């Protein structure tokens, strides 16, 4: 993936949200902080009243079709999404994992275009998903009716700003109104 070496992680530091947040979870934004740590067996005790917090790991409550999403802030042609998962077990949870991309905010897991799935396979550590989708929002979810936790360590999104292939190319139109030539349609001015 030489292409990736020159690219910036579009998700780094961007706004994120979860369908729910477990009491032992870090905030959803931990998944885009750039820290990739797989050692999840050591928890941090915040105080004796609460259960330990998992460092650099976030996860939802147990629920049907839990999800996590990031707003990239602009629309991109997305090519690669890397998901770093926990390595201390629970990998079977990812068998129904799906990734969707949309130019508009999600209102459900059915929105957007499917970018990739795990195809019924589980994974631990890094899983590299490749595809081609146009969007601003990336949602990762478990496509299951059986209540489950979605847990993530880190998410990276790579892509490019879309290119207008018609910009300043030769154009024609069937009629002209308001003294506007066809070239106004692709001159780059909006």
């Amino acid at each position: 993936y030489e292409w990736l070496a020159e690219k910036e992680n579009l998700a780094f530091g961007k706004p994120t949200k979860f369908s729910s947040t477990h009491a032992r979870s870090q905030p959803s934004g931990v998944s885009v902080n750039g820290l990739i740590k797989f050692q999840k067996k050591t928890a941090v005790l915040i105080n004796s009243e609460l259960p330990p917090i998992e460092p650099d790991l976030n996860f939802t409550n147990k629920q049907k079709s839990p999800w996590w999403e990031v707003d990239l802030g602009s629309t991109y042609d997305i090519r690669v999404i890397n998901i770093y998962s926990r390595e201390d077990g629970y990998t079977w949870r990812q068998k129904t994992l799906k990734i969707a991309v949309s130019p508009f905010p999600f209102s459900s897991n059915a929105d957007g275009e499917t970018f990739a799935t795990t195809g019924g396979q589980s994974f631990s550590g890094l899983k590299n998903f490749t595809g081609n989708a146009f969007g601003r929002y990336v949602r990762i979810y478990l496509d299951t009716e059986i209540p489950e936790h979605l847990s993530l360590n880190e998410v990276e999104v790579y892509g490019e700003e879309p290119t207008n292939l018609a910009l300043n190319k030769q154009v024609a139109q069937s009629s002209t109104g308001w003294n506007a030539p066809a070239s106004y349609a692709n001159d780059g001015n909006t």
Side-chain angles (χ1 to χ4, degrees):
Y1 293 90
E2 289 179 29
W3 178 82
L4 270 181
E6 306 168 0
K7 301 298 176 189
E8 135 187 14
N9 174 8
L10 301 172
F12 179 74
K14 297 293 175 31
T16 62
K17 58 184 176 179
F18 251 152
S19 55
S20 65
T21 304
H22 192 279
R24 291 182 51 220
S25 174
Q26 295 289 343
S28 64
V30 165
S31 290
V32 293
N33 68 5
L35 301 175
I36 301 165
K37 295 180 182 175
F38 295 118
Q39 303 304 322
K40 298 297 168 215
K41 295 180 181 175
T42 305
V44 178
L45 188 62
I46 301 300
N47 69 43
S48 60
E49 304 284 320
L50 299 172
I53 301 291
E54 301 286 344
D56 297 318
L57 178 70
N58 57 33
F59 49 102
T60 65
N61 291 317
K62 202 170 199 179
Q63 66 185 89
K64 293 179 183 178
S65 300
W67 55 264
W68 173 95
E69 80 179 52
V70 61
D71 176 355
L72 302 175
S74 293
T75 304
Y76 294 92
D77 182 11
I78 298 170
R79 305 281 179 85
V80 176
I81 298 175
N82 292 332
I83 298 177
Y84 295 85
S85 182
R86 60 191 305 161
E87 289 190 322
D88 63 347
Y90 309 101
T91 59
W92 47 268
R93 291 177 178 163
Q94 295 127 351
K95 287 186 175 185
T96 64
L97 188 138
K98 291 187 176 184
I99 304 169
V101 174
S102 175
F104 309 105
F106 287 93
S107 61
S108 76
N109 289 343
D111 293 347
E113 174 183 345
T114 300
F115 182 84
T117 72
T118 57
Q121 302 296 311
S122 60
F123 68 95
S124 66
L126 169 63
K127 176 71 175 169
N128 178 268
F129 296 92
T130 59
N132 194 353
F134 183 73
R136 171 178 171 170
Y137 300 88
V138 175
R139 181 175 277 198
I140 298 168
Y141 66 99
L142 299 181
D143 189 18
T144 178
E145 288 299 310
I146 300 169
E148 193 50 78
H149 300 281
L150 170 63
S151 58
L152 300 168
N153 180 312
E154 187 73 15
V155 177
E156 299 172 334
V157 178
Y158 296 93
E160 299 176 306
E161 290 188 20
T163 303
N164 181 352
L165 299 176
L167 185 63
N168 296 320
K169 299 288 195 246
Q170 183 176 357
V171 294
Q173 63 190 28
S174 61
S175 63
T176 304
W178 301 279
N179 295 321
S183 61
Y184 280 13
N186 68 337
D187 65 0
N189 296 315
T190 55

